[in-house]
Amino acid sequence: MLGYRDYVGLMDMSWATRRELSEPLPSQVLPDHKEQLIIEGDKASIKLYKDGRLSIIDNAGVETVYAERTELNYEDSHRKLQSHFIECLNTGAEFQTSGSDNVKTLRLVFDTYESATHHNVKRYVQE
């Protein structure tokens, strides 16, 4: 759970959860077997379904679908990331995501566990 001065948001995503699966998991669980991604805020929730549908649900419960299908190519994303990294090493350009960005992400992950354990909202100052 993330708390800012003007809003509170909750992000929940798991590739291991068994809560709402429509069928048993195969022997090999891959990233595309995730249930769904939900980001909840005080004005609306964003929902990415397992089938790739992307929608926003407002406080009145009205769901507006913004995309019927989203395509993710995990293998190609790794190739592009590695190509970008090598290009930056060769040219001296700044990498798309910095080490400090990754530290912030880790902080959010660990703070999420702490928030759930202690039932409190973590507050951050926007930079």
Side-chain angles (χ1 to χ4, degrees):
M1 185 169 288
L2 307 174
Y4 290 90
R5 189 174 45 125
D6 298 328
Y7 66 91
V8 173
L10 169 70
M11 187 171 92
D12 179 16
M13 182 175 176
S14 172
W15 293 347
T17 187
R18 307 296 195 264
R19 214 169 9 113
E20 296 178 23
L21 293 176
S22 59
E23 58 192 41
L25 288 172
S27 60
Q28 183 181 13
V29 178
L30 299 170
D32 59 350
H33 290 135
K34 64 187 176 291
E35 288 184 68
Q36 58 193 6
L37 169 68
I38 302 170
I39 302 173
E40 294 189 16
D42 63 342
K43 295 181 181 169
S45 298
I46 300 171
K47 198 167 187 178
L48 176 62
Y49 291 89
K50 179 181 176 183
D51 64 3
R53 186 168 28 111
L54 179 67
S55 68
I56 293 182
I57 305 166
D58 66 19
N59 284 341
V62 176
E63 183 170 5
T64 304
V65 177
Y66 282 86
E68 288 294 334
R69 183 108 179 109
T70 53
E71 296 292 331
L72 296 175
N73 184 331
Y74 294 100
E75 291 176 10
D76 194 44
S77 69
H78 291 292
R79 181 194 58 76
K80 288 178 179 178
L81 178 69
Q82 291 168 0
S83 295
H84 172 68
F85 181 73
I86 291 168
E87 179 184 333
C88 290
L89 288 176
N90 289 334
T91 64
E94 188 173 335
F95 192 58
Q96 187 177 7
T97 57
S98 66
S100 62
D101 285 340
N102 291 325
V103 169
K104 288 177 189 176
T105 301
L106 281 174
R107 178 179 172 208
L108 290 173
V109 170
F110 291 131
D111 285 352
T112 300
Y113 285 119
E114 185 179 325
S115 173
T117 300
H118 299 289
H119 306 286
N120 64 3
V121 175
K122 293 293 182 182
R123 304 214 177 266
Y124 300 95
V125 176
Q126 280 185 298
E127 298 175 2

